[in-house]
Amino acid sequence: MAGRRQQVPMMQPQIIVLKEGTDTSQGVPQLLSNISACLAICDTIRTTLGPRGMDKLIVDSQKRVTVSNDGATIMKLLEVVQPAARTLVDIARAQDAEVGDGTTSVVLLAGELLKEVKEYVEEGVSSQVIIKGFRKAANLAINRIKELAASVDRSDKTEFRSLLEKCAATSMNSKLIGSQKEFFTKMVVDAVMCLDQDELNEDMIGIKKIPGGAMQDSILVDGVAFKKSFSYAGFEQQPKSFDAPKIVCLNVELELKAEKDNAEVRVDKVSEYQAIVDAEWKIIFDKLDSIVATGAKVVLSRLPIGDLATQYFADRNIFCAGRVSKDDLDRVCEATGCRIQSTTTGLTAKHLGLCERFEERQIGGQRFNLFRGCPEAKTCTIILRGGAEQFIDEVERSLHDSIMIVRRAVKNQTVVAGGGAIEMELSRYLRDTARQIEGKQQLIITAVAKALEVIPRQLCENAGFDTTDFITQLRARHAQDPERYKWHGVDIEEEAVSDLFAKFVWEPALVKINAISSAVEAACLILSVDETVTSQQSQDPMASGQPAMPGRGRGRGMPMGR
Amino acid sequence: MSAIYTTDEYGRPFIIVREQDKKTRKTGIEATKAHIMAAKTVANIVRTSLGPRGLDKILISPDGDITISNDGATIMTQMAIENQIGKLMVELSKSQDDEIGDGTTGIVVLAGALLEQAEELLDRGIHPIRISDGFEQACKIAVAHLDKVSDVIPWSKDDTSDLFKCAKTSLGSKIVNKCHDQFAQIAVDSILAVADLERKDVDFELIKMEGKVGGELADTMLVRGVIIDKDFSHPQMPKEVSDAKIAILTCPFEPPKPKTKHKLDITTVKEFEELQKYELETFEKMVQQVKDCGANIVACQWGFDDEANSLLLQHKLPAIRWVGGPEIELLAIATNGRIVPRFDDLSSEKLGSAGKIREMSFGTTNDNMIVVEDCANSKAVTVFVRGGNKMIVDEAKRSLHDAMCVVRNLILNNHVVYGGAAAEISCSIEVEKAADQVSSIEQYAMRSFARALDAIPMALAENSGLPPIETLSAVKSQQIKQGISSLGIDCMNTGVNDMKQQFVFDPLISKRQQFLVATQMVKMILKIDDVIVHKSDDQQ
């Protein structure tokens, strides 16, 4: 650490390079303390893994209540500040963004890797050696997954669909909706299948939440649904249902208002008043007339539709809704094939969209606009119901995970068995391979092999099974006959060790590959840091309420340990 | 506290999570127990308001406003519960309110009872998820059984007697049961008036509830039309108009004004006189336009000044001013009129028609309301609630709303189960029977579910002043022996406990929803094993 505090001859005053109050920690102790921090984070979320995993209830400073089982969500809400531990938060989020599921496993795995090599760090093995070993092990493991993964033929429609359903079901197992998974897997797979199969843009699946009803009352709409927007007087006189209506989407304000805010009119004679007023009315009536002339029956706009326009449409049996949010309008366009128009001039029938049926309907305590049976439907809407807002939020997160998984599976049709089976197999494979490697790498790869066992171990623990018993049994089976027992894992339902591939606990191979590589990356990152420099927090007024931070002085003075 | 607080290898503590001191954390069984405790407390508060003999709660808001209510959802929302689990229970009740509108107390009591049972199982060392799995299995059986014991009640537009009975059941526990029949009839009539029977859609926005303190509950009435809380703009205008042709305007009685900023410079006296003349002419013209199209009454969304007012009086044109947006809309729907945005657009076919428009005055105060009756279209109705004080009027409105929801639910789905906890008892028996055939640990959870179902009849009996255990066991044995699933708790002491004969019905979807949602909520609560609460500053 040259340049910081020069190791000058004894009794000389130290030369302070950095500002007073700057936190510096360095060397092996720093590394070890980073590892401890990561382990503490892992401890927090380890109980959420698997079908018998529990949820966390987190109340934040704004008193918002979140109940979740999703690793990424929990990690985000924990507000972790320890820099090394934040790496774990980041990989959970990366996994969430990349594959959508397996966020808890990735954090657990990274933590376990660090735990296994902690000993070696203490004994003085250079972190570079460990990192090299990790990378090697990760490569071996990923190649092994690719070898093992079973692929499903896409051309067979029913086979392919059942693959998707199984993957979706596995991801739902640990969630609140676990007991209704038949119901929801169908919904999720239907939703993904109606997307454009090349793009698979998940934004085109709208999720609307309406409190009330049981979760079985959730519905999938093959089109678009959105809440009734604010309406003006006259709205109730409009017709509320149409068969095969033409739809126009606008980005135009249909209100009687000053056309320019900064303009001012000078009136010389009172009689001119009427002329100006008439001119203003003409502007809006021209707009309205051109819309009516196209034959549109449903008028939607992102901007407000005023009371005058509302009543005008009511007179002509046209339905209108103003202040529709952008996402909803985009999805209406996607579904019905219309384009958002920014002006009403030159509006013709070809700009209009079409759907089979439009209606306004009561769902729960709210009124909803439903567009169904759309010709180009590359979009759909899931309307979620549930007993409380927090409940629906968690259902939404769970469905999101499943949707992401199904999306992945559509693109990438290889699957492996879940329930810790693939981890046990990888663990066995790494252990066998390690024996043929000379040098320190052997130890590190064995450590990775052991770390992989954390997934089945935690599954057992959360389910309340005898962990040691299960792990030893699994290890023995995988060692005895790797080919025959390769898909054996923890069967939570039967409380036994069994072939999970046959039980259809399937996960896309990509989820596992991504989990292993990001966990290893994160572990490597943490291991390669041996120094933290934290600038003192700027003295903002908010900071006065913060407690004094204990332990801030560590790492000052002589490096410890050696 | 604070398991996140950690020390490193050398015993030096360090911080992982922001502001650890401000966070409290509970984990494992301790957390679950605390949740159950909280939920039970909340359930116990509303427990006594269940059933026809249930009692009301008085709630005083921070501003000193008093609410007296028997409605579970209202009580729960007004209680301003702080505890997170308590809040979940409030949401539970609200969701029942949103979806079904009735049975908001029952659902909370059921959830509380389920959690109470779960606590015992937790003490025996059963995994919380096994418990909730068992509950879900039991719930499935109970819901299937509900379908089996449900009856279809026939109704048509002409024969509403059964709808009426259901509305009566809902109103039974409320303060308005003094005028039981009348309120039930109002609920049925108003829903049937606005319901779209083909699409099975009921738009609640077409039913307006207007309340006025004074008079008594029995004076409450259903107006097939609109009541506007306004009076005629001039005291000398006629108080009653028959065969009204109403012009509904959203423009003010004043010279038209451009929306664009404008300025008129007046420099000479002549110009000023011209302006005045112009104004007068416009008024004249407007009134004439209204007259010409054949209207004999005007409702205007905006105001008009005294000059216009006296002009209207001269032309014998009664007018109502400052009618709010929603009222204008209802008025237009009820009278089949069109809302007219400017005088030039007025024509005779845009006028609304009503048989009678009259001003109604109350008591000794100068309070007036305008009643529009015998409208061309009866799709918009107004319920006019009277009562001795504001609390009673408010509670009566809530009760009516509940009853209307019940009727609406029956229009959507005309299956009913029997009230007086008959359905719960029958399901309890069924679940108990099914539990014996389950070979895994879930058996215990299922039995507990059956016991939790018994909590509803027990609470009913207790609130009615009957010995709860004795009554329940008597009814239960009777149900099993006679095989009649419509036997329930005889809360009103009529001597008959067959709910079929007493005509106590509940919509099937309401009961189904209670079971499903309560079970799902309980599962959610049981699944939590870790609570991290960020304390706000004021608590420190």
Side-chain angles (χ1 to χ4, degrees):
Chain A
M1 295 301 106
R4 175 72 47 79
R5 223 166 284 124
Q6 302 288 335
Q7 291 292 311
V8 285
M10 293 252 288
M11 302 311 290
Q12 285 279 335
Q14 286 187 332
I15 300 167
I16 296 170
V17 182
L18 293 176
K19 216 162 47 177
E20 189 60 31
T22 306
D23 175 32
T24 64
S25 335
Q26 52 196 183
V28 172
Q30 163 70 15
L31 199 48
L32 291 174
S33 105
N34 281 346
I35 294 178
S36 313
C38 294
L39 293 183
I41 291 292
C42 289
D43 272 342
T44 317
I45 66 157
R46 67 184 337 137
T47 52
T48 64
L49 190 78
R52 292 278 152 82
M54 306 289 272
D55 290 1
K56 311 270 161 202
L57 186 150
I58 299 171
V59 184
D60 68 6
S61 44
Q62 267 93 52
K63 301 242 150 204
R64 270 193 306 261
V65 179
T66 312
V67 178
S68 186
N69 181 280
D70 180 52
T73 311
I74 298 169
M75 299 283 277
K76 200 167 71 195
L77 289 169
L78 276 180
E79 296 189 316
V80 177
V81 284
Q82 216 277 348
R86 289 233 346 224
T87 322
L88 292 187
V89 180
D90 289 342
I91 56 167
R93 277 155 98 171
Q95 176 86 2
D96 195 31
E98 185 62 24
V99 279
D101 196 27
T103 47
T104 310
S105 341
V106 69
V107 175
L108 269 187
L109 203 55
E112 201 64 16
L113 285 170
L114 290 170
K115 190 172 155 198
E116 289 300 326
V117 296
K118 196 171 169 190
E119 242 178 89
Y120 297 124
V121 175
E122 275 170 348
E123 282 167 7
V125 178
S126 159
S127 29
Q128 288 308 324
V129 174
I130 301 176
I131 290 172
K132 213 171 143 202
F134 272 1
R135 297 234 159 100
K136 184 156 182 140
N139 272 339
L140 285 169
I142 288 168
N143 288 335
R144 179 71 182 154
I145 296 180
K146 287 183 181 153
E147 261 170 53
L148 280 174
S151 117
V152 172
D153 187 11
R154 208 187 156 155
S155 51
D156 187 346
K157 278 265 183 285
T158 42
E159 191 84 339
F160 184 59
R161 198 189 153 85
S162 83
L163 156 87
L164 296 182
E165 280 181 4
K166 276 156 204 159
C167 289
T170 310
S171 104
M172 278 177 202
N173 262 336
S174 60
K175 305 285 162 50
L176 208 50
I177 52 177
S179 52
Q180 305 294 335
K181 61 185 176 200
E182 292 98 19
F183 177 78
F184 281 108
T185 47
K186 196 178 164 303
M187 183 182 279
V188 164
V189 174
D190 281 342
V192 175
M193 292 316 273
C194 75
L195 294 182
D196 188 32
Q197 292 301 308
D198 297 322
E199 272 178 35
L200 287 180
N201 182 1
E202 82 268 19
D203 289 342
M204 284 297 140
I205 302 178
I207 297 187
K208 298 279 158 193
K209 299 176 275 190
I210 314 172
M215 57 187 176
Q216 292 92 324
D217 296 334
S218 306
I219 46 173
L220 177 76
V221 179
D222 55 339
V224 189
F226 57 88
K227 210 166 98 182
K228 177 193 150 193
S229 48
F230 177 82
S231 64
Y232 287 93
F235 179 75
E236 293 301 331
Q237 283 181 299
Q238 295 176 348
K240 296 300 172 53
S241 71
F242 290 104
D243 282 319
K246 291 205 174 105
I247 298 155
V248 61
C249 294
L250 298 170
N251 195 3
V252 179
E253 214 166 336
L254 295 175
E255 232 173 344
L256 186 61
K257 56 154 192 135
E259 282 301 312
K260 284 261 186 302
D261 278 343
N262 48 2
E264 197 186 279
V265 188
R266 231 164 242 270
V267 191
D268 290 331
K269 270 192 250 127
V270 279
S271 54
E272 282 172 24
Y273 253 103
Q274 190 61 45
I276 296 167
V277 172
D278 284 346
E280 278 182 351
W281 283 78
K282 191 173 177 309
I283 294 175
I284 182 150
F285 274 124
D286 280 350
K287 283 186 192 171
L288 296 176
D289 285 337
S290 62
I291 294 169
V292 174
T294 58
K297 280 290 170 203
V298 176
V299 181
L300 304 174
S301 177
R302 269 186 68 190
L303 294 170
I305 293 181
D307 49 352
L308 174 67
T310 308
Q311 290 145 18
Y312 183 90
F313 288 136
D315 274 353
R316 285 155 187 79
N317 285 332
I318 293 172
F319 177 87
C320 74
R323 293 175 211 240
V324 180
S325 77
K326 185 170 181 304
D327 318 351
D328 291 329
L329 210 56
D330 281 349
R331 288 192 301 107
V332 171
C333 288
E334 202 65 37
T336 60
C338 58
R339 295 278 162 268
I340 298 182
Q341 301 297 317
S342 305
T343 170
T344 51
T345 22
L347 195 67
T348 57
K350 72 167 190 243
H351 298 123
L352 304 185
L354 190 72
C355 79
E356 220 164 80
R357 175 137 187 87
F358 164 81
E359 65 175 331
E360 190 198 79
R361 225 175 78 187
Q362 184 97 18
I363 300 179
Q366 288 159 351
R367 296 198 72 82
F368 258 71
N369 298 321
L370 298 174
F371 297 84
R372 322 189 76 138
C374 305
E376 291 184 37
K378 278 181 184 150
T379 177
C380 59
T381 308
I382 296 175
I383 296 179
L384 290 180
R385 313 298 316 276
E389 234 166 272
Q390 290 86 352
F391 188 92
I392 308 180
D393 287 347
E394 175 63 3
V395 173
E396 186 197 356
R397 279 190 290 272
S398 316
L399 279 189
H400 174 256
D401 285 5
S402 299
I403 288 172
M404 294 293 278
I405 285 292
V406 174
R407 256 186 77 210
R408 278 287 158 197
V410 169
K411 284 194 175 162
N412 199 321
Q413 298 109 32
T414 52
V415 288
V416 294
I422 182 75
E423 282 86 0
M424 279 319 284
E425 168 58 21
L426 290 175
S427 169
R428 180 207 60 83
Y429 173 71
L430 288 179
R431 228 180 242 128
D432 288 353
T433 323
R435 294 212 191 96
Q436 296 152 23
I437 298 173
E438 278 179 38
K440 294 196 187 95
Q441 304 296 334
Q442 188 189 49
L443 293 174
I444 307 300
I445 295 176
T446 321
V448 176
K450 185 141 185 267
L452 280 167
E453 283 173 5
V454 69
I455 304 285
R457 192 164 357 114
Q458 196 60 47
L459 282 177
C460 292
E461 210 164 282
N462 289 348
F465 301 160
D466 185 340
T467 314
T468 333
D469 200 30
F470 270 78
I471 293 294
T472 44
Q473 212 177 330
L474 274 172
R475 264 193 218 151
R477 284 206 186 173
H478 280 268
Q480 274 163 18
D481 190 347
E483 199 39 49
R484 185 171 152 213
Y485 293 119
K486 69 176 175 185
W487 295 131
H488 277 227
V490 185
D491 186 345
I492 307 277
E493 300 289 316
E494 302 284 325
E495 210 174 324
V497 167
S498 59
D499 186 343
L500 293 179
F501 201 80
K503 296 232 166 175
F504 302 124
V505 183
W506 294 0
E507 282 182 85
L510 200 73
V511 176
K512 289 291 164 201
I513 294 176
N514 207 54
I516 290 176
S517 60
S518 26
V520 167
E521 280 303 317
C524 291
L525 184 69
I526 289 162
L527 285 173
S528 60
V529 172
D530 73 337
E531 164 109 36
T532 313
V533 180
T534 315
S535 300
Q536 201 175 20
Q537 280 196 340
S538 54
Q539 291 294 319
D540 57 326
M542 294 300 289
S544 57
Q546 284 183 348
M549 304 221 174
R552 271 291 150 146
R554 74 183 188 282
R556 315 210 59 187
M558 298 280 284
M560 296 177 69
R562 297 192 193 173
Chain B
M1 176 214 114
S2 183
I4 313 168
Y5 174 80
T6 328
T7 53
D8 67 10
E9 298 300 292
Y10 302 91
R12 292 172 308 201
F14 61 93
I15 291 175
I16 300 171
V17 169
R18 182 171 297 150
E19 296 172 55
Q20 292 189 73
D21 303 22
K22 283 196 191 165
K23 288 186 175 163
T24 50
R25 186 166 180 216
K26 271 198 209 102
T27 48
I29 210 95
E30 185 200 350
T32 319
K33 286 267 176 73
H35 292 160
I36 292 176
M37 192 62 204
K40 258 165 53 183
T41 318
V42 174
N44 272 336
I45 296 175
V46 291
R47 195 182 143 95
T48 50
S49 59
L50 192 75
R53 291 280 161 92
L55 298 176
D56 290 2
K57 309 271 172 262
I58 200 165
L59 301 142
I60 303 174
S61 78
D63 316 329
D65 282 342
I66 296 173
T67 312
I68 298 176
S69 184
N70 182 282
D71 178 56
T74 313
I75 298 171
M76 304 270 284
T77 19
Q78 299 261 344
M79 271 202 292
I81 292 171
E82 271 284 307
N83 182 286
Q84 311 83 37
I85 298 299
K87 275 190 201 151
L88 280 180
M89 299 289 269
V90 177
E91 292 255 352
L92 179 70
S93 181
K94 264 204 285 199
S95 94
Q96 174 84 6
D97 197 31
D98 286 347
E99 180 75 9
I100 306 290
D102 192 33
T104 49
T105 314
I107 192 169
V108 175
V109 174
L110 181 61
L114 279 171
L115 284 169
E116 197 172 338
Q117 294 293 333
E119 194 178 13
E120 274 173 35
L121 296 175
L122 282 174
D123 285 341
R124 290 196 197 172
I126 300 179
H127 196 284
I129 294 188
R130 301 300 285 268
I131 300 176
S132 58
D133 281 353
F135 280 174
E136 286 209 321
Q137 279 180 32
C139 180
K140 220 180 261 171
I141 294 168
V143 170
H145 186 68
L146 276 182
D147 275 334
K148 226 187 297 163
V149 298
S150 71
D151 265 342
V152 177
I153 54 157
W155 64 272
S156 63
K157 211 146 178 123
D158 311 312
D159 177 22
T160 56
S161 58
D162 284 317
L163 295 181
F164 175 70
K165 281 165 200 153
C166 284
K168 263 180 87 169
T169 311
S170 158
L171 289 169
S173 61
K174 311 287 162 140
I175 196 163
V176 298
N177 60 11
K178 186 172 130 199
C179 322
H180 214 147
D181 291 356
Q182 187 189 354
F183 271 72
Q185 197 60 50
I186 289 176
V188 173
D189 288 349
S190 55
I191 289 289
L192 283 178
V194 301
D196 182 341
L197 295 179
E198 258 165 54
R199 283 172 61 214
K200 299 205 165 184
D201 189 31
V202 179
D203 191 346
F204 268 92
E205 288 189 19
L206 296 178
I207 302 174
K208 202 173 154 230
M209 272 213 236
E210 195 71 59
K212 195 102 196 162
V213 178
E216 52 174 336
L217 279 175
D219 293 340
T220 301
M221 59 183 176
L222 174 73
V223 178
R224 291 184 187 271
V226 190
I227 291 183
I228 302 165
D229 191 3
K230 292 280 175 305
D231 42 15
F232 284 114
S233 59
H234 200 287
Q236 277 167 297
M237 285 174 181
K239 301 281 177 225
E240 199 174 311
V241 180
S242 307
D243 292 324
K245 288 280 174 208
I246 184 163
I248 305 161
L249 296 167
T250 52
C251 49
F253 266 92
E254 59 180 46
K257 240 194 254 157
K259 294 268 178 183
T260 317
K261 268 187 234 157
H262 57 275
K263 201 172 168 188
L264 178 68
D265 289 327
I266 294 172
T267 44
T268 61
V269 179
K270 192 172 157 255
E271 271 177 19
F272 189 76
E273 277 169 354
E274 238 172 61
L275 176 70
Q276 224 177 3
K277 211 178 106 209
Y278 171 70
E279 270 190 356
L280 208 69
E281 270 172 12
T282 358
F283 280 140
E284 290 268 4
K285 198 178 130 216
M286 285 170 175
V287 175
Q288 201 51 49
Q289 271 172 332
V290 175
K291 279 241 107 157
D292 285 349
C293 72
N296 56 7
I297 182 164
V298 181
C300 183
Q301 196 175 11
W302 303 101
F304 32 83
D305 54 26
D306 293 343
E307 207 175 332
N309 206 359
S310 69
L311 214 64
L312 284 167
L313 183 69
Q314 280 169 27
H315 285 84
K316 300 210 169 46
L317 209 56
I320 314 161
R321 58 182 160 183
W322 296 119
V323 183
E327 280 140 341
I328 272 262
E329 190 167 16
L330 276 177
L331 188 65
I333 294 171
T335 59
N336 255 351
R338 287 293 176 185
I339 301 172
V340 180
R342 56 176 177 174
F343 289 95
D344 301 348
D345 292 347
L346 269 174
S347 63
S348 58
E349 60 267 23
K350 289 200 171 175
L351 299 180
S353 55
K356 199 189 212 178
I357 297 179
R358 64 187 167 95
E359 198 175 76
M360 193 164 58
S361 49
F362 301 99
T364 51
T365 50
N366 229 348
D367 270 350
N368 293 319
M369 277 184 163
I370 288 174
V371 186
V372 182
E373 285 171 313
D374 300 331
C375 297
N377 177 5
S378 57
K379 274 261 169 212
V381 295
T382 307
V383 179
F384 187 54
V385 183
R386 304 299 309 272
N389 57 45
K390 192 168 157 287
M391 278 90 78
I392 289 196
V393 172
D394 288 346
E395 175 67 358
K397 277 192 198 171
R398 278 191 293 271
S399 314
L400 259 178
H401 181 261
D402 283 7
M404 286 178 188
C405 289
V406 168
V407 178
R408 178 205 51 188
N409 294 336
L410 286 170
I411 289 178
L412 299 180
N413 181 341
N414 63 349
H415 284 71
V416 290
V417 291
Y418 294 100
E424 279 90 351
I425 298 172
S426 166
C427 286
S428 162
I429 295 169
E430 186 69 21
V431 170
E432 192 106 28
K433 237 190 276 168
D436 295 340
Q437 291 158 18
V438 174
S439 58
S440 53
I441 300 179
E442 278 83 8
Q443 189 190 82
Y444 284 87
M446 289 172 76
R447 283 213 192 96
S448 300
F449 187 91
R451 269 198 296 279
L453 282 177
D454 288 346
I456 306 258
M458 294 245 255
L460 262 183
E462 207 176 318
N463 291 345
S464 315
L466 302 166
I469 301 175
E470 229 169 274
T471 320
L472 174 63
S473 40
V475 174
K476 224 174 186 177
S477 77
Q478 244 181 323
Q479 273 214 12
I480 294 176
K481 264 187 223 153
Q482 305 177 4
I484 307 170
S485 59
S486 57
L487 301 178
I489 307 284
D490 176 24
C491 301
M492 305 308 285
N493 275 327
T494 49
V496 190
N497 65 0
D498 190 344
M499 294 297 141
K500 207 173 195 166
Q501 285 169 35
Q502 273 204 29
F503 301 116
V504 182
F505 302 128
D506 266 328
L508 170 67
I509 47 174
S510 166
K511 270 275 144 10
R512 177 181 165 270
Q513 159 103 2
Q514 277 189 2
F515 285 9
L516 286 173
V517 178
T519 312
Q520 282 165 17
M521 185 57 73
V522 165
K523 176 170 186 185
M524 184 178 192
I525 293 173
L526 284 178
K527 213 165 172 279
I528 298 168
D529 78 329
D530 198 341
V531 189
I532 299 168
V533 179
H534 196 118
K535 271 189 266 174
S536 62
D537 293 333
D538 52 273
Q539 282 176 338
Q540 292 196 322

